[in-house]
């Protein structure tokens, strides 16, 4: 098992780079601390990383070859959120985004700080206390997206999360919103394996769940738990999921009991932890493989709760590039343009 004491002794921080006791290297792509960096997407065609800053209502692009970053605010207001960004397949400068309680689309060249006003495709829920959260397109191009409750501060000054208010949804080709997993507090990462299995991070419950998956219909069934953080990694909860070419799952963990964060690689059949990486901030929100050879792991993070969590530091909210892993990922699915048009 991973030895925390050993890791803390051997980590050396130089500028924005963290070197561990293994061969991998962690480097933040900039010094920017986003409120809640999330939903990273690697676009193979443009060799660009896209992600969102949820509570800033912004979408971000980063091109590693030039190190250029652009941020476009797409929604305004005291409770406005932008939860995901995925390029349309076959249509340049067009993206599907999550904004507030809706799925929408925007036009953006990714090389400027201005995007079009979101055009709403479908409203996920009529519950005004919820907002859309992270999502991905499944192997057929259907959008899967979760909902998450608005957070509020209680009388003691702590942040309360209403329990079991959210859900995981699938948006059909005709724009129908279909509830797939009800009564979830914090729906997070999703990956599909061999078109027959669907893995889902039930974050606040601390579990990674797997379902039998029908690629044609999008139906899921026979839920079982393959990873339980209460047993394997107390004080940490699974958030983002990414699949590598060997079929193993990489998991970003949200940590509450230390000033560093972890990404783990697990065996999908048993949930056994095969490898643990250390990153210099605890709230690691999501991750995706990118780079020319899809062997760079990009990890987003959060600086939420900094008013009462004393384990957040100057790295909280940064987005990191992890190299030297000797692992690579598969291209993630885009959102087919014809499905958006049909909506």
């Amino acid at each position: 098992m991973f030895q925390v004491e050993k890791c803390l002794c051997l980590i050396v921080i130089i500028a924005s780079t963290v070197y561990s006791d293994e061969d991998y290297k962690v480097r933040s792509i900039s010094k920017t601390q986003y409120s809640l960096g999330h939903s990273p997407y690697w676009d193979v065609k443009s060799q660009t990383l896209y992600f969102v800053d949820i509570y800033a209502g912004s979408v971000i692009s980063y091109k590693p070859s030039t190190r250029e970053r652009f941020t476009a605010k797409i929604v305004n207001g005291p409770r406005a959120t932008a939860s995901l960004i995925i390029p349309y397949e076959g249509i340049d400068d067009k993206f599907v985004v999550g904004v507030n309680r809706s799925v929408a689309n925007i036009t953006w060249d990714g090389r400027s700080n201005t995007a079009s006003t979101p055009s709403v495709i479908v409203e996920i829920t009529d519950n005004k206390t919820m907002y859309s959260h992270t999502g991905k397109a499944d192997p057929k191009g259907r959008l899967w997206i979760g909902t998450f409750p608005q957070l509020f501060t209680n009388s003691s000054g702590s942040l309360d999360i209403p329990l079991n208010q959210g859900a995981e949804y699938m948006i059909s080709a005709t724009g129908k919103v279909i509830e797939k997993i009800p009564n979830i507090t914090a729906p997070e990462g999703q990956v599909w394996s061999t078109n027959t299995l669907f893995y889902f991070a039930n974050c606040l419950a601390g579990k990674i769940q797997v379902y039998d998956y029908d690629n044609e219909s999008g139906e899921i069934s026979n839920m079982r738990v393959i990873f339980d953080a209460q047993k394997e990694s107390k004080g940490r909860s699974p958030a983002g999921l990414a699949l590598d070419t060997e079929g193993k799952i990489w998991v970003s963990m949200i940590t509450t009991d230390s000033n560093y964060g972890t990404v783990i690689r697990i065996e999908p059949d048993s949930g056994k932890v095969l490898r643990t990486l250390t990153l210099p901030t605890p709230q690691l929100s999501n991750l995706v493989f990118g780079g020319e050879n899809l062997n760079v792991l990009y990890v987003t993070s959060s600086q939420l709760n900094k008013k009462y969590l004393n384990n957040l530091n100057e790295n909280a909210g940064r987005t990191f590039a992890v190299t030297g892993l000797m692992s690579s990922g598969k291209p993630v699915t885009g959102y087919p343009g014809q499905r958006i048009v049909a909506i």
Side-chain angles (χ1 to χ4, degrees):
M1 294 295 292
F2 180 69
Q3 298 296 315
V4 172
E5 294 83 358
K6 177 182 178 183
C7 177
L8 291 178
C9 290
L10 293 179
I11 287 180
V12 179
I13 300 179
I14 302 175
S16 61
T17 303
V18 178
Y19 297 91
S20 81
D21 60 336
E22 297 185 61
D23 292 333
Y24 68 90
K25 184 183 296 184
V26 181
R27 178 177 286 110
S28 59
I29 66 172
S30 76
K31 293 183 178 180
T32 301
Q33 293 180 266
Y34 300 102
S35 64
L36 176 49
H38 217 298
S39 305
Y41 182 99
W42 178 260
D43 183 41
V44 173
K45 180 181 177 181
S46 65
Q47 292 291 291
T48 301
L49 176 72
Y50 294 98
F51 59 100
V52 300
D53 186 353
I54 289 183
Y55 289 109
S58 299
V59 293
I60 301 101
S61 68
Y62 171 67
K63 200 170 184 65
S65 61
T66 61
R67 296 191 177 181
E68 290 181 301
R69 279 184 309 115
F70 295 96
T71 300
K73 191 173 184 65
I74 61 172
V75 61
N76 293 283
R79 294 185 179 272
T81 60
S83 60
L84 65 85
I85 177 169
I86 302 174
Y88 282 34
E89 287 186 349
I91 306 177
D92 292 339
D93 301 340
K94 199 81 168 178
F95 299 85
V96 63
V97 292
V99 290
N100 301 329
R101 293 176 288 130
S102 302
V103 175
N105 57 51
I106 61 170
T107 300
W108 183 38
D109 62 10
R111 300 178 297 279
S112 67
N113 295 319
T114 304
S116 69
T117 300
S119 176
V120 173
I121 299 165
V122 64
E123 197 168 87
I124 304 169
T125 175
D126 58 6
N127 185 341
K128 294 183 179 180
T129 68
M130 308 298 292
Y131 67 83
S132 64
H133 202 46
T134 189
K136 287 180 181 175
D138 70 13
K140 293 285 283 187
R142 296 167 296 223
L143 183 66
W144 289 61
I145 186 169
T147 54
F148 189 80
Q150 293 179 0
L151 308 180
F152 62 92
T153 303
N154 61 28
S155 58
S156 65
S158 297
L159 202 62
D160 275 350
I161 303 177
L163 301 179
N164 303 321
Q165 303 275 317
E168 182 76 7
Y169 297 89
M170 183 183 78
I171 313 299
S172 74
T174 57
K176 184 178 180 181
V177 180
I178 303 169
E179 186 180 73
K180 306 300 288 187
I181 307 174
N183 305 320
I184 299 291
T185 301
E188 286 286 353
Q190 317 102 325
V191 290
W192 290 262
S193 176
T194 64
N195 293 347
T196 60
L197 295 172
F198 169 60
Y199 295 88
F200 172 75
N202 187 345
C203 181
L204 204 64
K207 297 176 180 179
I208 298 177
Q209 301 167 187
V210 61
Y211 299 78
D212 293 333
Y213 170 74
D214 186 307
N215 191 43
E216 292 304 312
S217 67
E219 290 298 320
I220 57 175
S221 60
N222 189 26
M223 188 279 284
R224 54 267 191 207
V225 174
I226 63 160
F227 179 86
D228 188 338
Q230 295 302 312
K231 298 178 181 178
E232 300 288 341
S233 185
K234 291 184 179 180
R236 294 167 173 81
S237 298
L241 304 180
L243 193 69
D244 67 24
T245 55
E246 296 180 13
K248 314 304 183 187
I249 299 175
W250 295 76
V251 188
S252 59
M253 304 290 285
I254 294 178
T255 303
T256 59
D257 64 350
S258 70
N259 59 2
Y260 67 92
T262 55
V263 170
I264 59 175
R265 184 183 189 234
I266 65 171
E267 169 59 54
D269 294 329
S270 64
K272 179 182 178 181
V273 178
L274 304 174
R275 190 176 185 187
T276 303
L277 313 178
T278 301
L279 278 74
T281 192
Q283 296 185 1
L284 303 178
S285 55
N286 215 318
L287 72 176
V288 71
F289 280 101
E292 185 176 357
N293 298 310
L294 293 174
N295 60 355
V296 180
L297 193 63
Y298 288 100
V299 185
T300 54
S301 72
S302 165
Q303 59 168 326
L304 292 180
N305 311 333
K306 63 182 178 182
K307 290 183 179 180
Y308 69 94
L309 286 183
N310 58 14
N311 65 337
L312 297 185
N313 54 35
E314 69 277 4
N315 293 302
R318 294 190 185 189
T319 297
F320 302 93
V322 186
T323 55
L325 293 175
M326 304 301 291
S327 293
S328 58
K330 298 177 179 180
V332 288
T333 307
Y335 204 89
Q338 67 269 21
R339 296 187 188 276
I340 287 286
V341 172
I343 291 172

